[in-house]
Amino acid sequence: MDSPARRDMVTDMAIGLILENGLAAVTVRGVAKKIGIAAPTLLGWYGSAERVRLIVGQTYCGRWVQWVQRREFRDGLAALLPLTADEVGWTRVWQAVLELARLDDDVALCVGDAVACERHLAGGV
Protein backbone atom coordinates (compact mmCIF):
# COMPACT_ATOMS: atom_id res chain seq x y z
CA MET A 1 0.00 0.00 0.00
CA ASP A 2 1.19 3.52 -0.84
CA SER A 3 1.83 5.94 2.02
CA PRO A 4 3.10 9.49 2.46
CA ALA A 5 6.24 8.07 4.10
CA ARG A 6 6.94 5.88 1.07
CA ARG A 7 6.33 8.79 -1.32
CA ASP A 8 8.70 10.95 0.73
CA MET A 9 11.36 8.26 0.70
CA VAL A 10 11.12 7.80 -3.07
CA THR A 11 11.16 11.57 -3.60
CA ASP A 12 14.14 12.04 -1.29
CA MET A 13 16.10 9.44 -3.23
CA ALA A 14 15.10 11.02 -6.55
CA ILE A 15 16.23 14.42 -5.25
CA GLY A 16 19.64 12.95 -4.53
CA LEU A 17 19.83 11.52 -8.03
CA ILE A 18 18.81 14.82 -9.62
CA LEU A 19 21.42 16.72 -7.64
CA GLU A 20 24.11 14.18 -8.52
CA ASN A 21 23.36 13.54 -12.20
CA GLY A 22 20.28 15.45 -13.35
CA LEU A 23 16.77 14.38 -14.26
CA ALA A 24 17.97 11.60 -16.57
CA ALA A 25 19.26 9.75 -13.48
CA VAL A 26 15.73 9.36 -12.12
CA THR A 27 15.06 5.85 -13.37
CA VAL A 28 13.35 2.95 -11.64
CA ARG A 29 16.69 1.20 -11.33
CA GLY A 30 18.43 4.35 -10.04
CA VAL A 31 15.78 5.20 -7.45
CA ALA A 32 15.50 1.60 -6.30
CA LYS A 33 19.26 1.32 -5.91
CA LYS A 34 19.37 4.54 -3.92
CA ILE A 35 16.62 3.23 -1.61
CA GLY A 36 18.36 -0.14 -1.30
CA ILE A 37 15.66 -2.28 -2.89
CA ALA A 38 15.33 -4.19 -6.15
CA ALA A 39 13.82 -2.39 -9.15
CA PRO A 40 10.93 -4.90 -9.36
CA THR A 41 9.99 -3.99 -5.78
CA LEU A 42 9.69 -0.32 -6.70
CA LEU A 43 7.67 -1.26 -9.78
CA GLY A 44 5.49 -3.39 -7.52
CA TRP A 45 4.78 -0.32 -5.42
CA TYR A 46 3.91 2.00 -8.31
CA GLY A 47 3.45 -0.11 -11.43
CA SER A 48 5.53 1.88 -13.92
CA ALA A 49 8.40 4.30 -14.33
CA GLU A 50 5.89 6.99 -15.31
CA ARG A 51 4.04 6.53 -12.02
CA VAL A 52 7.33 6.80 -10.07
CA ARG A 53 8.09 10.08 -11.83
CA LEU A 54 4.55 11.30 -11.14
CA ILE A 55 4.94 10.51 -7.42
CA VAL A 56 8.24 12.42 -7.36
CA GLY A 57 6.70 15.36 -9.25
CA GLN A 58 3.61 15.55 -7.04
CA THR A 59 5.53 15.22 -3.81
CA TYR A 60 8.16 17.77 -4.75
CA CYS A 61 5.52 20.24 -6.00
CA GLY A 62 3.86 20.11 -2.60
CA ARG A 63 7.17 20.71 -0.86
CA TRP A 64 8.08 23.56 -3.20
CA VAL A 65 4.78 25.40 -2.67
CA GLN A 66 5.09 25.05 1.10
CA TRP A 67 8.65 26.36 1.01
CA VAL A 68 7.73 29.40 -1.12
CA GLN A 69 4.63 30.17 0.94
CA ARG A 70 6.57 30.03 4.21
CA ARG A 71 9.09 32.50 2.83
CA GLU A 72 6.62 34.72 0.97
CA PHE A 73 5.43 36.72 3.98
CA ARG A 74 8.96 37.48 5.12
CA ASP A 75 10.76 37.82 1.78
CA GLY A 76 8.13 38.81 -0.78
CA LEU A 77 9.27 38.10 -4.34
CA ALA A 78 12.71 37.09 -3.02
CA ALA A 79 10.98 33.93 -1.75
CA LEU A 80 11.56 32.58 -5.26
CA LEU A 81 15.31 33.19 -5.14
CA PRO A 82 17.73 30.73 -3.59
CA LEU A 83 19.85 32.30 -0.87
CA THR A 84 21.95 29.37 0.35
CA ALA A 85 23.71 26.43 -1.27
CA ASP A 86 20.90 24.12 -0.11
CA GLU A 87 18.32 26.41 -1.65
CA VAL A 88 20.24 26.43 -4.93
CA GLY A 89 19.96 22.63 -4.89
CA TRP A 90 16.22 22.76 -4.16
CA THR A 91 15.80 25.17 -7.06
CA ARG A 92 17.75 22.83 -9.36
CA VAL A 93 15.37 20.03 -8.37
CA TRP A 94 12.38 22.30 -9.02
CA GLN A 95 13.75 23.07 -12.49
CA ALA A 96 14.05 19.32 -13.13
CA VAL A 97 10.42 18.81 -12.06
CA LEU A 98 9.39 21.62 -14.42
CA GLU A 99 11.28 19.86 -17.21
CA LEU A 100 9.55 16.61 -16.32
CA ALA A 101 6.22 18.42 -16.54
CA ARG A 102 7.02 19.36 -20.14
CA LEU A 103 7.38 15.67 -20.92
CA ASP A 104 4.54 14.20 -18.85
CA ASP A 105 0.98 15.58 -18.86
CA ASP A 106 0.16 14.08 -15.47
CA VAL A 107 3.14 15.80 -13.87
CA ALA A 108 2.18 19.01 -15.68
CA LEU A 109 -1.19 18.97 -13.92
CA CYS A 110 0.37 18.92 -10.46
CA VAL A 111 2.98 21.52 -11.45
CA GLY A 112 0.28 23.91 -12.66
CA ASP A 113 -0.83 24.90 -9.16
CA ALA A 114 2.73 25.53 -8.04
CA VAL A 115 3.45 27.69 -11.07
CA ALA A 116 0.20 29.61 -10.43
CA CYS A 117 1.41 30.25 -6.87
CA GLU A 118 4.71 31.61 -8.22
CA ARG A 119 2.89 33.82 -10.75
CA HIS A 120 0.61 35.17 -8.04
CA LEU A 121 3.61 36.05 -5.92
CA ALA A 122 5.40 37.71 -8.86
CA GLY A 123 2.22 39.53 -9.90
CA GLY A 124 1.89 41.14 -6.48
CA VAL A 125 5.09 43.11 -6.99
Side-chain angles (χ1 to χ4, degrees), residues 3-31:
S3 70
R6 183 176 283 169
R7 287 172 173 247
D8 283 337
M9 177 181 55
V10 168
T11 300
D12 290 344
M13 297 306 112
I15 288 169
L17 291 169
I18 291 168
L19 291 174
E20 292 167 12
N21 297 306
L23 182 60
V26 181
T27 62
V28 169
R29 185 173 299 161
V31 173

Side-chain angles (χ1 to χ4, degrees), residues 3 7 9 19 28 32 36-37 39 41 51 53 67 107-108 119 124:
S3 70
R7 287 172 173 247
M9 177 181 55
L19 291 174
V28 169
I37 61 173
T41 301
R51 179 87 173 129
R53 287 190 296 273
W67 180 66
V107 176
R119 286 186 180 144

Side-chain angles (χ1 to χ4, degrees), residues 50 53-54 57-58 61 97 100-101 104-112:
E50 292 79 18
R53 287 190 296 273
L54 177 61
Q58 288 174 328
C61 280
V97 171
L100 181 59
D104 186 309
D105 290 341
D106 291 330
V107 176
L109 289 173
C110 69
V111 164

Side-chain angles (χ1 to χ4, degrees), residues 32-83:
K33 182 177 179 182
K34 195 94 164 146
I35 294 171
I37 61 173
T41 301
L42 184 59
L43 284 174
W45 292 350
Y46 295 111
S48 69
E50 292 79 18
R51 179 87 173 129
V52 171
R53 287 190 296 273
L54 177 61
I55 294 302
V56 170
Q58 288 174 328
T59 304
Y60 199 78
C61 280
R63 291 178 184 183
W64 181 260
V65 168
Q66 287 177 355
W67 180 66
V68 169
Q69 287 176 338
R70 280 194 311 266
R71 296 183 59 196
E72 177 182 3
F73 181 74
R74 182 189 72 214
D75 300 333
L77 186 58
L80 297 173
L81 301 174
L83 301 174

